[in-house]
Amino acid sequence: QVQLVESGGGLVQAGGSLRLSCAASGRTFSRYVMGWFRQAPGKEREFVAAISWSVSSTSYADSVKGRFTISRDNAKNTVFLQMNSLKPEDTAVYYCAAAFRGGVDDPSSRYSYWGQGTQVTVSS
């Protein structure tokens, strides 16, 4: 079992930055691929970024490449999403998710555990 708690969301102006954190419970955190997803009002949930358990592989949605960076600290059971150059279209609820021994390109259905989400609002 893994429990995930996101934090770090908020209101920021376009061009600004935010850093999301996701704290995970469980002693086998390092065996999970960790991902970030987001869902804007009236839209489907979409993939944002993922990082392998060994930190050797990452994957990003085209819409965030070059602006967002995913990282993790297995010793602290935490995954981060650094978001720079934010745009109004990045406004969404951001969710952290975990997939046991998954891959960075796995679909959302592969993720078994999800956090409650944190709101990110980017004003123009």
Side-chain angles (χ1 to χ4, degrees):
Q1 277 281 32
V2 175
Q3 291 185 327
L4 305 172
V5 179
E6 303 97 334
S7 61
L11 173 64
V12 64
Q13 288 188 332
S17 298
L18 282 175
R19 189 192 196 203
L20 305 184
S21 299
C22 174
S25 66
R27 293 177 292 180
T28 58
F29 173 75
S30 62
R31 299 180 188 177
Y32 287 79
V33 163
M34 300 300 298
W36 286 96
F37 295 79
R38 67 186 182 186
Q39 188 167 19
K43 294 187 176 181
E44 297 286 321
R45 182 173 59 193
E46 64 176 0
F47 170 78
V48 175
I51 186 166
S52 65
W53 65 273
S54 65
V55 196
S56 62
S57 297
T58 57
S59 180
Y60 295 92
D62 288 342
S63 59
V64 306
K65 280 181 181 177
R67 301 188 298 121
F68 290 11
T69 302
I70 189 170
S71 61
R72 68 189 292 168
D73 184 338
N74 286 338
K76 296 182 178 180
N77 283 12
T78 304
V79 62
F80 305 97
L81 186 68
Q82 178 66 44
M83 305 186 295
N84 298 328
S85 302
L86 283 162
K87 305 175 181 179
E89 50 264 44
D90 294 318
T91 295
V93 177
Y94 283 70
Y95 297 91
C96 173
F100 185 67
R101 292 184 175 173
V104 294
D105 294 319
D106 283 350
S108 60
S109 58
R110 181 65 175 83
Y111 289 78
S112 302
Y113 302 101
W114 294 81
Q116 82 290 346
T118 185
Q119 176 70 47
V120 171
T121 303
V122 184
S123 63
S124 57

